[in-house]
Every structure is written in structure tokens, then in C-alpha cells.
Amino acid sequence: ILGQSEREIEVICIDDRTPDGSGAVIDAYAARDSRVKAVHKTVNEGPMMARHTGYTMARGEYVFFCDSDDYLPEGALEALYARAVASDADIVVGNLCTVTPQGRTALRDRASSVGTTWRSYMRYILHWGTPSLCGALFRRSLFVGMAYTAGQHMLVSEDRRLLTEILLLRHPSVAPLDRLVYCYWSNQASTTHRPLTADDVRRQFESL
């Protein structure tokens, strides 16, 4: 992210009380790059709350989400921002790819299907298109003054929940960008791939 050609960015890193030493890593980056803001939570709350903390703190014109183990192709943020300025759209949606530990990649083309309105984007999601927040640029005003759902320890469909609320409550304009802008690392040990337990389901319902 720090190596992107778009330099005027703030990078808000949320340490969700991780036990793996990531907090010290982001502190080190924050010490040598003023664009990095390190946030350390006192208790683990899960990805939905981490994102809520991030977009609440953000001060830029646009918001971009990036998960901890993923990465961006060169020039991704610059291309998304240029498309946002040219189209004046509230959301710019680029293409994603998944990358396996064996080096296999698979492109997920969103640009050809999301359309240019909140209704067409919603239709894309309902027809099994990816609801991932990643690889899209959101106008920050979409988050201002809105009480979107932010449940603790929500492990499944947290992206779908927030994106659906944004589309249905704010009716944003949409601009597709036919370019690869996000690489999703397919980690079989991540919470996304771990089978849900009864405790997971209970906690998810209690958080809403």
C-alpha cells in the first residue's frame, strides 16, 4: 500500500488485539511514515468492528478497505481515484483476483456486471456476484452520519451486510473500472475458510 503511486493517502491500521505481534509491526511503520496511523484495540471485536473503527477515523475524500493478508497491484489506488474523479461516482468498483499459496490466480471480473447504479450493483450481488468491500473506492461521505450495522465477531457475510446497507440506504452512483486493483490471498487457515462452530453462530447472532 505504501508503495502505491498515489502518495496522498492515510493508512489506518487496526490492531484488533491480535496475539501475533502485528501491533509492533504497524507501530514500526507508523514511526517512519507519517501516513500510517496505528490503532490498538483493548479487546478483540472482529472484522466488522475493525472496519467501523477505520472508516469512522478516516479523513480523506475516499475510503478503501484492505484485509491484512492481501495486496494491491501497482497503480491500483491511482487508477481508482482517477476513475472516481472522472466519473464523480460515489463508488468505483474494480476487478479482483484470488491467489493461492501455490501461485495459482483466478480473476473475478466485476466491472462488466456491476453497472452504474445502486440498483444494478444490488442486482449483481443478488445474482451471486462477490459482495466484497475490497477492491472498491467509496466516497467517505457515504459513511458520515450513518449508523451502519457493526456487530462484534461477525465472521460470515460482514462485507455483504455493510455493502447492502450502503446501497439500500444511500443509493450511491457507481462506476466500474475494468482493471485488476486487488489481490486476495486465499489462506486456508484464515477465519473465512475455518468451519463455523456452534459458538461462532451464537456469537454472530448475539452481535446483531
Side-chain angles (χ1 to χ4, degrees):
I1 294 173
L2 296 177
Q4 289 286 301
S5 55
E6 178 59 57
R7 306 297 296 169
E8 294 186 22
I9 59 176
E10 62 174 355
V11 184
I12 302 173
C13 300
I14 311 298
D15 169 18
D16 193 26
R17 197 63 178 174
T18 176
D20 66 0
S22 296
V25 174
I26 62 175
D27 279 342
Y29 274 98
R32 62 178 183 261
D33 193 320
S34 62
R35 297 175 299 168
V36 179
K37 308 295 188 297
V39 180
H40 302 281
K41 297 209 168 190
T42 56
V43 295
N44 176 269
E45 296 180 307
M48 182 175 257
M49 290 298 293
R51 287 179 179 145
H52 178 268
T53 299
Y55 66 69
T56 300
M57 290 183 59
R59 292 296 176 264
E61 187 179 2
Y62 295 92
V63 172
F64 183 88
F65 297 98
C66 186
D67 289 345
S68 56
D69 52 355
D70 300 337
Y71 62 94
L72 310 183
E74 184 177 348
L77 293 182
E78 184 175 15
L80 286 163
Y81 180 65
R83 182 75 171 116
V85 172
S87 65
D88 196 33
D90 297 313
I91 306 176
V92 178
V93 185
N95 295 330
L96 318 173
C97 77
T98 56
V99 183
T100 70
Q102 295 75 33
R104 293 191 294 271
T105 62
L107 181 66
R108 305 188 75 172
D109 175 11
R110 298 191 294 187
S112 63
S113 304
V114 295
T116 58
T117 68
W118 69 271
R119 290 180 183 275
S120 62
Y121 200 174
M122 194 73 226
R123 190 177 301 113
Y124 165 76
I125 296 172
L126 292 172
H127 286 82
W128 304 106
T130 174
S132 176
L133 296 167
C134 300
L137 197 65
F138 296 83
R139 197 187 300 274
R140 187 172 64 86
S141 60
L142 293 172
F143 300 95
V144 176
M146 298 300 295
Y148 296 126
T149 301
Q152 294 188 19
H153 304 296
M154 190 172 182
L155 300 177
V156 177
S157 292
E158 71 275 8
D159 285 40
R160 186 185 305 273
R161 179 73 181 244
L162 178 54
L163 180 57
T164 297
E165 289 188 1
I166 291 171
L167 295 176
L168 294 180
L169 295 176
R170 299 305 301 264
H171 296 178
S173 56
V174 179
L177 175 64
D178 189 14
R179 173 174 173 152
L180 177 64
V181 296
Y182 195 88
C183 296
Y184 169 80
W185 181 253
S186 184
N187 177 9
Q188 295 302 312
S190 70
T191 55
T192 304
H193 293 91
R194 179 174 62 81
L196 289 177
T197 66
D199 283 342
D200 291 332
V201 175
R202 175 184 53 78
R203 289 200 303 173
Q204 182 139 330
F205 275 102
E206 288 176 350
S207 72
L208 302 177

